[in-house]
Amino acid sequence: MSLVERVLTGDRLSLARLLTAIESGDEAGENALDELYPYTGNAHLVGVTGSTGTGKSTLVNQLTRHLRQVGLQESAGAEPRPLKVGIVAVDPTSPFTGGAILGDRIRMRDLAGDPEVFIRSMATRGALGGLAERTRPVVQALDAAGFDLILIETVGAGQSEVEIARTAHTTIVVDAPGLGDEVQAIKAGILEIADILVLNKADLPGAERAFASLQAALRLGGPPDQEGAWSVPLIQTVATEGDGVPTLAEALARHHGYLTRTGERERRERSRVEAQLDQMLRQRLKEHFLEGQPDGRYQQVVERVLARQISPQQAIVELMEGLP
Ligand SMILES: Nc1nc2c(ncn2[C@@H]2O[C@H](COP(=O)(O)OP(=O)(O)OP(=O)(O)O)[C@@H](O)[C@H]2O)c(=O)[nH]1
Ligand SMILES: [Mg+2]
């Protein structure tokens, strides 16, 4: 059996090997991805994002336990079904790595022993290429390997969160009291990418005030403009205790239903594929173009624009001259 075939049968060791090949960017990994691509598209991709230390990993752990033990009710009247869960932790500090406190490690251990849970940590700090470009193939491999739901945890503010939201079907934004975060979140436009908003650490002082300001901020966004449109729920959790996790799982199931019912999932998939192809095509065309140019010509043109000898428009006309 080939590596790809073994991945498709759910062999964990082969999956781990494949992910290493993919992350190192070698050709075997790329070829495997091409072969796996027809088997992707089934997983529900869920981004979990927010400022550092808000409790994302703890919440991801608890949510995963819930999805394993209770499952998700995927449509009205259906029995909840335990899901196979993949976790991709991007730039993790804890508890996916050594930084974990003891309690977190113990919690992680029972997840780690579960054959239907797969956890992959990715370091991206200092890595080349955008976050979405580097995360996407890893998520695709997990998708092809048959994980029903893939949680993608990212730290950071602004651009990387927006990128992840673009790759995910559902984006959970996690906030916590006491960071002045509710104000920051509003400023950074993070609320706009949230499909589900979580105020974690609801046990801490200041939780009520944070809840009120998040609620006010959501209301500022106004009610959904059409009937049947998604209205972002605000959920309080205490991830360390698992409080609020069933409510979060329920919101996730509802959003999944909403995406499917309204055709929004297809729309998101389509715009994602278009954006990806667009970006790859630009990159390729530019590389191809530059290969056809005499050495240093492009740089010379840049210099002349900098020296105000020609305008950017004139530069393009000049570079394009002689092309079919
Ligand atoms: N009081 C309280 N502490 C919590 C809660 N959830 C998480 N914590 C603690 O907050 C700390 C950070 O939790 P993590 O889950 O590592 O947070 P994170 O957002 O994943 O952190 P980064 O990945 O570093 O951004 C840990 O010490 C957790 O035990 C909560 O609901 N209440
Ligand atoms: Mg974390």
Side-chain angles (χ1 to χ4, degrees):
M1 251 200 272
S2 70
L3 184 64
V4 165
E5 283 167 331
R6 286 199 302 271
V7 167
L8 289 174
T9 64
D11 179 51
R12 296 171 69 88
L13 192 61
S14 302
L15 177 59
R17 276 208 196 112
L18 172 71
L19 293 180
T20 304
I22 289 171
E23 281 201 75
S24 64
D26 72 24
E27 212 180 304
E30 305 235 323
N31 293 340
L33 274 178
D34 292 344
E35 270 185 72
L36 285 171
Y37 195 75
Y39 300 94
T40 63
N42 301 310
H44 182 187
L45 310 185
V46 179
V48 179
T49 193
S51 305
T52 177
T54 51
K56 298 176 295 297
S57 300
T58 314
L59 199 61
V60 162
N61 286 342
Q62 293 284 12
L63 183 61
T64 303
R65 279 153 59 90
H66 182 87
L67 296 172
R68 295 293 308 133
Q69 287 164 8
V70 181
L72 211 60
Q73 187 183 21
E74 284 170 316
S75 55
E79 278 295 304
R81 174 173 80 98
L83 300 182
K84 287 181 73 174
V85 182
I87 298 172
V88 180
V90 182
D91 258 343
T93 53
S94 66
F96 298 105
T97 57
I101 59 164
L102 188 61
D104 281 336
R105 257 195 233 140
I106 289 165
R107 271 199 293 278
M108 280 309 289
R109 205 183 296 145
D110 60 53
L111 282 186
D114 184 338
E116 312 266 84
V117 174
F118 192 96
I119 302 164
R120 184 75 180 191
S121 295
M122 290 180 55
T124 59
R125 231 157 255 163
L128 287 178
L131 182 62
E133 279 70 57
R134 290 175 38 80
T135 312
R136 192 184 288 124
V138 171
V139 170
Q140 275 174 2
L142 289 171
D143 185 351
F147 290 92
D148 302 301
L149 191 140
I150 301 170
L151 293 159
I152 308 154
E153 180 193 334
T154 57
V155 197
Q159 195 50 40
S160 68
E161 285 164 335
V162 173
E163 272 188 75
I164 283 298
R166 248 188 238 127
T167 20
H169 299 118
T170 303
T171 300
I172 301 175
V173 171
V174 183
D175 207 346
L179 306 168
D181 247 30
E182 51 292 359
V183 182
Q184 275 174 28
I186 297 157
K187 275 195 197 144
I190 285 165
L191 290 183
E192 281 156 42
I193 65 164
D195 297 305
I196 298 170
L197 186 57
V198 169
L199 179 67
N200 187 42
K201 306 197 183 184
D203 56 322
L204 291 188
E208 257 170 62
R209 208 178 59 86
F211 188 82
S213 46
L214 284 174
Q215 210 169 29
L218 278 181
R219 250 187 262 117
L220 275 185
D225 26 339
Q226 314 138 347
E227 183 127 350
W230 180 252
S231 120
V232 177
L234 172 58
I235 299 167
Q236 295 200 66
T237 57
V238 182
T240 39
E241 305 299 322
D243 296 355
V245 170
T247 313
L248 176 58
E250 188 260 332
L252 209 49
R254 272 198 300 121
H255 194 248
H256 182 265
Y258 158 80
L259 290 175
T260 316
R261 191 177 61 245
T262 57
E264 179 63 19
R265 180 171 166 139
E266 263 136 48
R267 271 194 295 279
R268 287 187 188 200
E269 294 264 331
R270 174 173 295 277
S271 73
R272 197 179 77 211
V273 167
E274 281 176 355
Q276 189 186 351
L277 288 184
D278 188 74
Q279 186 252 331
M280 289 167 92
L281 187 60
R282 274 167 204 256
Q283 181 68 26
R284 239 354 124 70
L285 283 174
K286 188 182 167 206
E287 280 164 18
H288 182 71
F289 170 78
L290 290 178
E291 275 162 25
Q293 294 290 316
D295 271 357
R297 174 147 187 253
Y298 182 70
Q299 204 48 46
Q300 275 169 23
V301 170
V302 171
E303 295 303 329
R304 288 171 56 216
V305 174
L306 277 174
R308 298 288 189 279
Q309 289 165 0
I310 52 172
S311 73
Q313 291 88 315
Q314 287 170 316
I316 295 302
V317 169
E318 201 178 306
L319 283 169
M320 300 288 286
E321 244 162 46
L323 285 185

